[in-house]
Amino acid sequence: MKVFVLNCGSSSFKYQLLNMDTEELLAIGLVERIGLNDSVLAYEATGKEKVKEVSDIADHAQAIKMVLDKLVDAEVGVISKLEEISAIGHRAVHGADKFTKSVLVDDEVIAAMEECVPLAPLHNPANITGMKAMMDVLPGVPNVAVFDTAFHQTMPASSFIYALPYELYEEHKVRRYGFHGTSHYYVSNRAAEILGIEKDNFNCITCHMGNGSSFAAIKDGKCYDTTMGMTPLEGLVMGTRAGDVDGGLFKFLENNANMSIDDIDTMLNKKSGLLGISGISSDMRDIESAAAEGNERAQLAIDALMHRIVKYIGAFAALLGRVDAIIFTAGIGENAIELREEVMKRLTVFGIKGDSDKNNCRGKEQIISADDSAMTVMVVPTNEEITIGRDTKEIVAAL
Ligand code: ADP
């Protein structure tokens, strides 16, 4: 069964075509600047020449049609006709408490996602646009939504409730939801497999660190707590997002810095984090090289990130009681060797011992703690697309 996986943003999308019988990647790519001039379509079929085309692409449906044309292209294509695509799997960001697992997309699901728009005003409309465009371009082919929030729905109320008037939860659904659920689910399952531990008995802390970052405390294979909150802003120091801040900041900035709520929201989401502290970049590679050249604010950005990583791992270890593994994943987690080394050094209170040789790796499955470490620390590259492909296959096969 061939599944087209779509991760749709407001002016861009990433896609993959997967053969879900063998779990092989057939083609991968992205389209950027949709609706703007000079849109870019990137496409790469496994084992074939990369394609990059610049043109004006008006909307998502047009972009999808152009990608589908590539898939059946005589030279760079990987399928002979579009009917070979059995299903489409969508990354869906916010399902609030409406979805505890992946679902077949129908009018009701789209309406439920629309209800969640106030909780994810940038992401959900883009996801819905992608779903509607796929239905338009490939009518009759089933679409499945795989929610970032679904895995976190097992959190107990004591983890997800904010200490605010309870009516805000009842009337406005103000609570912690958590994100990156597909990644936390994938890497925790994979780690349990690698370690040969029964998934239902596996306790771990998954550390997803990319442009956006979140950790999850996973107890008996289920999410128990996570660092992101009602929106993807809470928690760690991220590329451009502040993570945890004092709610008192809002009034203070309004009174003293002449900032409106919109200004503050933009600042917290787009101008903070590594970028805000360093003033240089949101990209960890730029920050690391600036710090190596002696830039003090770049070093402070790394130190602040490190501080919060250690703080959350400590907190989650205390909540879990027993930790079978700490798992690093996503761009920073899979690649930042020195950062992982330093985090392991700072966790000696838990009897953690790193192994520098094993830790000297990027982007591959690897245990990076010493054999006599009290907790296993490992790298597991994330693969959200394969999880979306698997859920899609399972749902569509049962139709
Ligand atoms: P996204 O959240 O957009 O999917 P990624 O998971 O690709 O992002 O992570 C992007 C982050 O990973 C960036 O901060 C980038 O600098 C960082 N990163 C990628 N490669 C390396 C590397 N070799 N060393 C340190 N950081 C890296």
Side-chain angles (χ1 to χ4, degrees):
M1 178 190 287
K2 289 174 187 123
V3 173
F4 187 74
V5 175
L6 188 68
N7 180 353
C8 205
S10 54
S11 65
S12 67
F13 63 76
K14 295 183 198 161
Y15 63 89
Q16 290 190 5
L17 183 68
L18 298 168
N19 179 344
M20 287 312 301
D21 300 323
T22 55
E23 300 205 337
E24 265 173 298
L25 174 71
L26 300 175
I28 182 168
L30 81 162
V31 184
E32 291 172 292
R33 298 181 54 82
I34 299 169
L36 304 167
N37 296 334
D38 298 334
S39 320
V40 182
L41 183 153
Y43 170 91
E44 186 178 7
T46 305
K48 297 192 180 176
E49 280 284 292
K50 273 189 198 176
V51 177
K52 192 170 176 184
E53 287 174 1
V54 179
S55 62
D56 293 350
I57 304 178
D59 55 27
H60 287 74
Q62 187 190 348
I64 287 165
K65 273 188 206 139
M66 291 169 72
V67 171
L68 296 179
D69 284 346
K70 291 276 170 281
L71 292 174
V72 293
D73 184 83
E75 250 172 63
V76 294
V78 285
I79 50 177
S80 51
K81 50 185 190 326
L82 290 178
E83 287 72 29
E84 284 183 46
I85 299 175
S86 306
I88 299 121
H90 295 264
R91 178 191 181 206
V93 171
H94 217 312
D97 55 0
K98 296 174 191 294
F99 301 100
T100 55
K101 55 185 174 28
S102 304
V103 289
L104 189 70
V105 178
D106 57 17
D107 291 346
E108 241 172 80
V109 168
I110 292 195
M113 283 186 70
E114 265 158 3
E115 270 180 51
C116 297
V117 166
L119 295 168
L122 298 179
H123 291 99
N124 271 33
N127 298 156
I128 295 167
T129 301
M131 288 170 187
K132 290 186 172 164
M134 282 311 320
M135 288 169 179
D136 188 24
V137 177
L138 289 181
V141 179
N143 288 265
V144 168
V146 180
F147 290 92
D148 264 24
T149 45
F151 178 65
H152 301 298
Q153 278 297 303
T154 51
M155 277 190 290
S158 52
S159 297
F160 73 64
I161 198 78
Y162 288 126
L164 298 170
Y166 196 75
E167 297 73 39
L168 287 177
Y169 166 55
E170 289 180 313
E171 287 163 29
H172 298 284
K173 296 194 163 208
V174 172
R175 52 158 284 185
R176 177 184 311 286
Y177 291 103
F179 299 86
H180 297 131
T182 314
S183 176
H184 291 295
Y185 169 78
Y186 173 83
V187 298
S188 58
N189 266 311
R190 191 64 204 120
E193 273 167 20
I194 294 167
L195 298 174
I197 300 175
E198 199 62 40
K199 284 171 197 166
D200 293 345
N201 191 30
F202 187 50
N203 282 10
C204 64
I205 300 168
T206 44
C207 308
H208 178 112
M209 291 189 283
N211 283 314
S213 301
S214 70
F215 290 2
I218 297 175
K219 196 174 202 168
D220 298 328
K222 294 189 189 71
C223 180
Y224 185 77
D225 198 1
T226 189
T227 55
M228 279 182 170
M230 186 175 88
T231 76
L233 181 56
E234 197 179 342
L236 293 143
V237 174
M238 307 182 218
T240 62
R241 279 173 256 169
D244 299 336
V245 291
D246 178 356
L249 188 68
F250 298 85
K251 192 74 196 151
F252 176 87
L253 292 177
E254 187 188 39
N255 288 346
N256 295 283
N258 195 26
M259 291 176 81
S260 67
I261 287 290
D262 280 350
D263 295 337
I264 297 168
D265 186 61
T266 304
M267 174 200 72
L268 291 173
N269 277 292
K270 304 229 162 103
K271 299 181 187 167
S272 300
L274 296 176
L275 173 66
I277 299 174
S278 70
I280 295 174
S281 169
S282 62
D283 192 297
M284 188 62 177
R285 286 163 291 199
D286 299 339
I287 303 286
E288 281 182 338
S289 45
E293 283 163 17
N295 185 301
E296 286 179 11
R297 274 172 58 187
Q299 187 57 52
L300 179 60
I302 295 174
D303 291 344
L305 168 63
M306 190 94 69
H307 180 92
R308 223 173 282 180
I309 293 171
V310 172
K311 185 165 147 180
Y312 269 118
I313 291 177
F316 281 0
L319 285 175
L320 291 174
R322 189 196 83 233
V323 179
D324 299 315
I326 297 169
I327 304 148
F328 288 104
T329 195
I332 298 175
E334 291 167 29
N335 292 294
I337 295 169
E338 283 170 25
L339 180 122
R340 292 194 307 244
E341 189 82 22
E342 183 61 27
V343 169
M344 289 192 285
K345 274 192 199 141
R346 294 195 195 185
L347 289 169
T348 46
V349 67
F350 297 114
I352 288 177
K353 279 190 211 160
D355 181 320
S356 303
D357 290 335
K358 290 184 190 162
N359 182 42
N360 192 15
C361 68
R362 293 186 202 278
K364 67 169 187 168
E365 291 180 348
Q366 170 93 43
I367 292 174
I368 59 172
S369 51
D371 293 343
D372 59 345
S373 175
M375 288 180 196
T376 302
V377 186
M378 57 204 293
V379 175
V380 177
T382 193
N383 194 339
E384 288 157 286
E385 289 78 12
I386 209 77
T387 308
I388 295 173
R390 284 175 187 163
D391 278 15
T392 304
K393 181 183 171 189
E394 193 182 316
I395 288 174
V396 171
L399 288 178

